[in-house]
Amino acid sequence: AHLDRIEGVDEQVGAYLHVAGESALAEARAVDERRAKGETLHRLAGVPIAVKDVMTTTGIPTTAGSRILEGWIPPYDSTVVTRLKAAGLPILGKTNMDEFAMGSSTEHSAYGLTRNPWDLERIPGGSGGGSSAVVASWQAPLATGTDTGGSIRQPAAVTGSVGVKPTYGGVSRYGLIAMASSLDQAGPCARTVLDTALLHEVMAGHDPLDSTSIDQPVPDVVGAARRADVTGMRIGIVKELTGEGFSPLVQARFDESVQHLVDAGAEVVEVSCPNFVHALGAYYLIMPSEASSNLARFDAMRYGLRVSPQGVEDPSAEQVMAASRDAGFGDEVKRRIILGTYALSSGYYDAYYGSAQKVRRLIADDFAKAFEIADVLVSPTAPTTAFRFGDKTDDPMAMYRGDIATIPANLAGVPGMSLPSGLAEDGLPAGFQVLAPAMADDRLYTVGAALE
Ligand code: GLN
């Protein structure tokens, strides 16, 4: 049924980069046979899933939305994919994304636009716009994402779906094509809070192949989603993430959702996180710094594209590398590599990268103080509903400013969820964000399920 749906609508939506129909059907049939034999299977066995193209998959091309990886077929599975396969979830295909997960609209993909199923002239969010769009257009019931600064939560917000960035270290990064290693975190996307919890449970847990993976039991996210009880819970509204800078259309739905929580027995408090105003500046130094280092591996020798420089006889390795990078990386990727290498260069390191790291600490301290007076924090996920294609492509700063509400969680490593808070007056979905302390991911699901 899902393959038929893909056939029917993806020409318009453009969410899949690759559809693995045959292997998905084979896996579905294998699950059926095992079930017929009376084997006890995982409760999601046989439920198909779409995988963001930043996760390696053996036998299926993996591009991270970049020309530089065109045609690359990974020789190994990412841990997330290994776990999906072990639980028996057939992989429908790979979803479109901004190149190397850099962006908020999926317009930076080297492979074309993905459209928002609610309005085909608008963006599906980014970088995981393919994953949010497949879920919102019923081309997959579940999808995976990665969130370095909001790439799971903001696409969920603008497509009326649910997306979770788990606690940093909660889901293995092994086999995720790295953007900024200290911020990258994989997580689940789905249409309901409970579906998201079920997928979260499959993806999460300690992995010795990732040195920052947390060796602790996964919080009981499924139980929390089932109980959905917010009685007596203290909900903190972050002063710096509401009001000014947020569209009144989004704000109106946010206020209503907060009222629902009060009606369900929660207590509302206002909290202040004064250093959040510096989060964007710190993120857009730390992220490009780490990205410039991570992307150095694309040297045209080991993977993907290799271009010979025009008119050069016997080119050196450096010349091939330069020509390949010039042809293989898009403008946004080049912009971030330049910013990152500049921020890390000697003489500027302390002023830029060093200061950004200090701000990062202050933001983590803000969270710690806020969580003394509130069990969870809430805000709109994004300042506006889905914008039109081209609205922000000429102005990188305008695109970056849209990340204001999602970035603090990545800098501090805390978990966050975006879930629908209804349709705004413009007829487009608005997102509601919930943030919890590290390793208290279950609280996101308690609040999310209470709002559903
Ligand atoms: N929009 C943010 C950026 O461009 C976040 C991206 C992400 O989470 N991968 O960096």
Side-chain angles (χ1 to χ4, degrees):
H2 283 96
L3 292 173
D4 287 346
R5 177 75 181 162
I6 294 168
E7 181 92 33
V9 306
D10 207 40
E11 208 172 310
Q12 292 158 60
V13 179
Y16 279 98
L17 289 179
H18 184 92
V19 178
E22 254 172 56
S23 57
L25 277 176
E27 175 60 16
R29 289 196 185 107
V31 165
D32 270 353
E33 276 168 29
R34 288 164 62 195
R35 194 167 271 135
K37 280 192 205 133
E39 252 183 76
T40 321
L41 299 176
H42 190 277
R43 51 190 161 187
L44 289 183
V47 179
I49 187 163
V51 172
K52 187 176 180 181
D53 206 30
V54 75
M55 297 176 169
T56 60
T57 38
T58 31
I60 304 178
T62 300
T63 67
S66 183
R67 283 275 169 237
I68 212 155
L69 277 176
E70 192 165 11
W72 183 56
I73 300 187
Y76 70 109
D77 278 327
S78 47
T79 295
V80 167
V81 166
T82 302
R83 291 190 178 186
L84 299 177
K85 287 182 175 173
L89 283 81
I91 293 172
L92 289 167
K94 305 294 289 288
T95 58
N96 198 15
M97 54 183 282
D98 285 298
E99 184 173 6
F100 290 110
M102 297 176 181
S104 306
S105 66
T106 313
E107 289 165 291
H108 297 313
S109 167
Y111 301 101
L113 295 180
T114 295
R115 298 174 181 277
N116 189 319
W118 290 84
D119 177 345
L120 297 174
E121 294 312 311
R122 290 176 192 266
I123 58 107
S127 65
S131 285
S132 64
V134 294
V135 165
S137 59
W138 298 71
Q139 297 190 67
L142 304 170
T144 65
T146 55
D147 190 311
T148 304
S151 284
I152 292 176
R153 290 165 287 158
Q154 180 259 12
V158 299
T159 58
S161 49
V162 184
V164 168
K165 180 198 94 70
T167 298
Y168 181 78
V171 174
S172 173
R173 288 184 297 110
Y174 181 74
L176 310 188
I177 296 167
M179 165 149 94
S181 309
S182 77
L183 303 160
D184 294 346
Q185 188 50 213
C189 318
R191 283 187 296 265
T192 73
V193 171
L194 183 55
D195 285 355
T196 311
L198 289 164
L199 178 56
H200 186 137
E201 198 185 60
V202 176
M203 296 172 73
H206 180 240
D207 179 14
L209 297 175
D210 170 3
S211 60
T212 58
S213 168
I214 296 175
D215 192 1
Q216 277 178 41
V218 179
D220 181 17
V221 292
V222 173
R226 288 224 163 97
R227 281 189 297 278
D229 183 7
V230 292
T231 319
M233 228 173 158
R234 296 165 308 166
I235 312 284
I237 298 182
V238 186
K239 204 177 87 191
E240 289 76 11
L241 297 183
T242 51
E244 204 196 326
F246 289 81
S247 130
L249 303 188
V250 170
Q251 188 68 42
R253 291 292 92 86
F254 172 77
D255 295 342
E256 274 174 21
S257 293
V258 169
Q259 189 55 46
H260 281 307
L261 291 173
V262 173
D263 296 344
E267 186 191 319
V268 170
V269 291
E270 194 185 73
V271 301
S272 175
C273 295
N275 294 294
F276 281 18
V277 295
H278 307 301
L280 220 52
Y283 172 86
Y284 277 97
L285 285 166
I286 294 169
M287 173 273 300
S289 297
E290 293 188 18
S292 70
S293 165
N294 275 324
L295 267 55
R297 78 192 59 184
F298 299 103
D299 56 6
M301 303 295 138
R302 285 174 282 188
Y303 331 83
L305 190 74
R306 183 178 297 172
V307 174
S308 279
Q310 293 262 313
V312 183
E313 237 177 86
D314 269 339
S316 66
E318 282 74 17
Q319 286 172 317
V320 171
M321 206 183 289
S324 304
R325 287 173 171 165
D326 188 33
F329 286 143
D331 287 351
E332 183 63 20
V333 174
K334 288 176 182 157
R335 182 179 294 127
R336 294 192 192 199
I337 292 173
I338 292 168
L339 281 171
T341 49
Y342 182 75
L344 291 177
S345 55
S346 94
Y348 295 108
Y349 183 93
D350 287 339
Y352 295 117
Y353 187 72
S355 315
Q357 291 290 19
K358 287 178 189 157
V359 169
R360 186 173 192 175
R361 162 53 48 201
L362 293 173
I363 287 165
D365 290 348
D366 276 1
F367 269 114
K369 282 189 205 125
F371 286 130
E372 279 170 21
I373 46 177
D375 299 306
V376 294
L377 305 179
V378 296
S379 77
T381 311
T384 63
T385 55
F387 49 89
R388 285 176 198 282
F389 289 114
D391 265 8
K392 301 195 178 177
T393 34
D394 295 337
D395 182 357
M397 283 301 290
M399 189 81 90
Y400 300 168
R401 275 195 296 274
D403 300 334
I404 181 68
T406 47
I407 273 170
N410 301 80
L411 288 169
V414 304
M417 169 187 281
S418 179
L419 75 150
S421 67
L423 295 184
E425 257 172 56
D426 58 6
L428 295 166
F432 185 85
Q433 179 176 237
V434 191
L435 303 167
M439 288 314 275
D441 305 44
D442 49 326
R443 291 186 202 168
L444 308 175
Y445 289 92
T446 302
V447 175
L451 279 174
E452 244 175 19

